[in-house]
Structures are given as structure tokens and as C-alpha cells.
């Protein structure tokens, strides 16, 4: 019974570590990176579509910064755009800061997240 608890703890810890680093999984090929960087409304349904930056945030950043940008292990980001420019946010994503490691997301994904977060004021 004791080994089952240890195995469960190991599996849970590994899952959390992978989730915090974006999971290491490839994005679904069906997801286009050319999506708009701001939420828009689908004229036919009235539903809000998710921007590329928000989608990357949900996949790679949510575990530390919270589902609603409220913070958790990482700082709150709900009004980060009023404190930092898009370029400054991108620099933190690329170079890391405090407990955040560098390059959790990279390239166009990092740029999309920085643009999306810069709108949060």
C-alpha cells in the first residue's frame, strides 16, 4: 500500500511539473497561428473566439498565473498592461524573472502572449 502512495505522488508531481512548463506537447496541427490577437465575436453565433495569445496562455501559463490572471505560484497579471509595455512583457517571457524560467513559450507564441497581456489594463 505504501508503494502505491509513493507511485501516485511521483506521477502527480511529474504531471504538475510538465503542466507548469507547457507540457512539452506539440500543438494540434489544426490550430492556426494566424488567428487574431484580440478576441472577436463570431457574427453567426455571438460567441467570443479565443485569441492566439490567450490560447497559448491557457496552455502554458495558466498553471502558475491562474485561470483568470489572478496569480498563484506566479504573480497576478490581470492589469499587467498598465505596468509594463508589450516589449517589457516579451522580455520577461524570453529572459525569465524571479521564479519564472526563460522561454516557457517562444517565438510567435511568446509575441502573441505579450501582445494579449499588454491589453490587460
Amino acid at each position: 500500500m505504501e508503494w502505491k502512495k509513493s507511485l501516485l505522488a511521483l506521477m502527480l508531481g511529474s504531471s504538475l511539473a510538465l503542466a507548469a512548463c507547457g507540457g512539452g506537447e506539440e500543438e494540434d496541427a489544426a490550430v492556426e497561428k494566424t488567428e487574431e490577437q484580440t478576441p472577436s465575436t463570431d457574427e453567426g453565433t455571438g460567441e467570443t473566439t479565443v485569441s492566439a495569445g490567450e490560447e497559448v496562455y491557457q496552455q502554458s501559463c495558466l498553471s502558475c498565473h491562474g485561470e483568470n490572471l489572478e496569480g498563484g505560484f506566479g504573480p497576478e497579471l490581470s492589469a499587467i498592461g498598465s505596468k509594463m509595455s508589450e516589449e517589457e512583457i516579451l522580455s520577461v517571457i524570453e529572459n525569465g524573472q524571479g521564479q519564472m524560467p526563460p522561454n516557457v513559450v517562444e517565438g510567435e507564441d511568446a509575441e502573441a502572449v505579450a501582445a494579449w497581456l499588454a491589453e490587460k489594463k
Side-chain angles (χ1 to χ4, degrees):
M1 183 72 167
E2 207 48 48
W3 66 271
K4 287 182 182 180
K5 288 181 183 178
S6 296
L7 181 61
L8 180 61
L10 176 65
M11 290 173 44
L12 180 60
S14 297
S15 297
L16 290 175
L18 285 174
C21 295
E25 297 176 7
E26 296 295 322
E27 285 190 35
D28 185 21
V31 175
E32 294 184 23
K33 291 189 178 191
T34 58
E35 293 177 354
E36 295 179 20
Q37 292 187 2
T38 56
S40 61
T41 303
D42 184 340
E43 301 292 327
T45 64
E47 293 181 17
T48 302
T49 57
V50 176
S51 72
E54 183 177 5
E55 184 175 321
V56 174
Y57 175 88
Q58 289 174 352
Q59 293 173 356
S60 302
C61 312
L62 178 142
S63 61
C64 291
H65 295 284
E67 184 174 354
N68 298 308
L69 307 169
E70 73 274 14
F73 181 74
E76 176 183 355
L77 299 175
S78 61
I80 194 67
S82 65
K83 300 171 188 165
M84 298 176 78
S85 69
E86 182 176 336
E87 293 77 22
E88 291 170 321
I89 296 168
L90 181 59
S91 177
V92 171
I93 293 170
E94 293 175 338
N95 301 307
Q97 183 173 330
Q99 296 290 325
M100 182 175 164
N103 297 313
V104 172
V105 292
E106 299 177 295
E108 290 179 5
D109 288 344
E111 292 171 6
V113 171
W116 181 71
L117 287 173
E119 296 173 355
K120 307 300 176 196
K121 299 184 185 208

